[in-house]
Amino acid sequence: MLRLHRLRHHAVGRHVLAPCSALTRNACAHGTFTARQLSTSSARLAQVKFAHWIDKETGKLDTAKLETKWKTRWAEAKPPVRKPLTAAEIDRLFYVLVMFPYPSGVLHMGHVRVYTISDVLTRFHRMRGKHVVSPMGWDAFGLPAENAAIERSIAPAQWTRQNIATMKDQLSRILTDFDWDRELATCDPAYYKWTQHIFLQLFKNDMVYRKDAVVNWDPIDQTVLANEQVDKDGRSWRSGAVVEQRKLKQWFARITRYAQDLLDDLDALNWPDHVKSMQANWIGRSEGAEFEFALDPPIPDAQSKAISVFTSRADTLFGVS
């Protein structure tokens, strides 16, 4: 025999689950029932409760119909009113930031995997009483979007907004719990005016500069690619074109001034070692010597009579040819 001493409703996230059904409430009220009675009652309850949701032709549960009901109910529920947090509540803040998707078409299963993981984190910490901030946005400002719009003979703004609406609907259909009141798109002037402001501050403080540099050029997308966007065969990850090396004027940030600070702070991060190693390699601080090779014979009208070279292995200079 199983005796219930106390009956409680358990709050899970924003929804409430009742431990006792209508058919077993009588037994619960008296406090005593057998496991077989509970099992039988639950089976009857399931038949009654889900009869409305069974497709008469297939005899299977109409999950789309059932989801529509509850998504409508949750959408109608008023979100919690945002108000200033107390000092104790600030201590319970938790920030979940996931990579914003490119609004290039529709979501695929790779997106579903990533956003399911972030959604689990959001719900887990919220259920533990933390004040979770989980924003969503769209990485929507780039040449690939313009090229895609040109291919379809529509304005880039129209193409991008259509994709954002489609992908947002998809995220809603898989019931991700983002703070949509914090939504942003990087193509909005209200957003990129701040990236422009930051750049101007860097420029005023001599933190950015312009110079000629060799870049990876995609002749189809007509854009510059990072090394990571070029595959092992020397082709663009997006267009498949053979990547060309071109010298173009580029903007650079003087992050080398802070290379040691960045490397030192990696030790304070609770990240996997292989990720910290990748970051250290990306920062690329290297100790060595800079020297010059004299041009012999000199090149007429050359700006310099020598070539400046940096090496971290000065001991190998005697083998240079």
Side-chain angles (χ1 to χ4, degrees), residues 173-186:
R173 287 164 59 189
I174 62 173
L175 302 179
T176 50
D177 193 13
F178 290 111
D179 296 330
W180 288 109
D181 57 332
R182 300 180 186 271
E183 179 185 9
L184 62 88
T186 57

Side-chain angles (χ1 to χ4, degrees), residues 57-260:
E57 294 184 1
T58 64
K60 296 181 179 180
L61 181 66
D62 189 342
T63 54
K65 186 177 180 182
L66 189 60
E67 283 185 358
T68 300
K69 171 194 171 179
W70 286 108
K71 282 193 287 189
T72 302
R73 287 277 295 275
W74 294 338
E76 292 172 350
K78 292 183 179 179
V81 178
R82 187 177 298 164
K83 57 183 179 181
L85 302 179
T86 65
E89 289 173 329
I90 290 176
D91 289 338
R92 298 202 303 274
L93 281 175
F94 194 86
Y95 188 38
V96 179
L97 179 63
V98 67
M99 183 184 291
F100 294 163
Y102 303 119
S104 54
V106 296
L107 296 180
H108 51 68
M109 288 308 297
H111 291 108
V112 174
R113 174 181 178 272
V114 169
Y115 299 127
T116 297
I117 293 172
S118 71
D119 195 55
V120 169
L121 283 171
T122 296
R123 295 175 186 273
F124 172 74
H125 288 289
R126 186 174 285 139
M127 290 170 68
R128 295 186 68 196
K130 294 188 178 181
H131 291 272
V132 181
V133 176
S134 180
M136 174 47 70
W138 312 96
D139 192 354
F141 204 20
L143 196 58
E146 294 183 14
N147 288 336
I150 291 172
E151 291 175 6
R152 293 162 177 79
S153 300
I154 61 176
Q158 180 184 349
W159 166 251
T160 301
R161 290 298 178 187
Q162 284 177 357
N163 292 336
I164 288 176
T166 298
M167 297 172 79
K168 185 174 181 179
D169 177 65
Q170 288 181 294
L171 288 173
S172 173
R173 287 164 59 189
I174 62 173
L175 302 179
T176 50
D177 193 13
F178 290 111
D179 296 330
W180 288 109
D181 57 332
R182 300 180 186 271
E183 179 185 9
L184 62 88
T186 57
C187 59
D188 284 337
Y191 174 85
Y192 66 71
K193 73 176 183 180
W194 294 112
T195 60
Q196 292 176 334
H197 173 75
I198 292 171
F199 179 85
L200 290 174
Q201 300 310 306
L202 293 173
F203 182 78
K204 290 175 183 177
N205 289 278
D206 191 34
M207 290 303 301
V208 291
Y209 61 98
R210 206 176 182 197
K211 71 172 186 177
D212 288 335
V214 176
V215 298
N216 299 316
W217 179 259
D218 185 326
I220 293 181
D221 278 349
Q222 298 285 298
T223 188
V224 174
L225 301 175
N227 291 336
E228 293 80 5
Q229 295 173 318
V230 181
D231 67 19
K232 60 183 178 60
D233 298 320
R235 294 183 176 274
S236 167
W237 70 291
R238 182 181 291 273
S239 70
V242 175
V243 174
E244 303 172 2
Q245 297 291 301
R246 288 195 184 183
K247 182 173 281 191
L248 299 174
K249 281 196 177 296
Q250 300 287 302
W251 284 101
F252 293 84
R254 298 188 190 276
I255 60 171
T256 50
R257 289 183 180 177
Y258 304 95
Q260 192 58 53

Side-chain angles (χ1 to χ4, degrees), residues 38 40 75 81 121 137 161 189 194 198 204 293 296 314-317:
L38 177 60
T40 304
V81 178
L121 283 171
R161 290 298 178 187
W194 294 112
I198 292 171
K204 290 175 183 177
F293 279 124
D296 185 21
D315 57 308
T316 64
L317 290 178

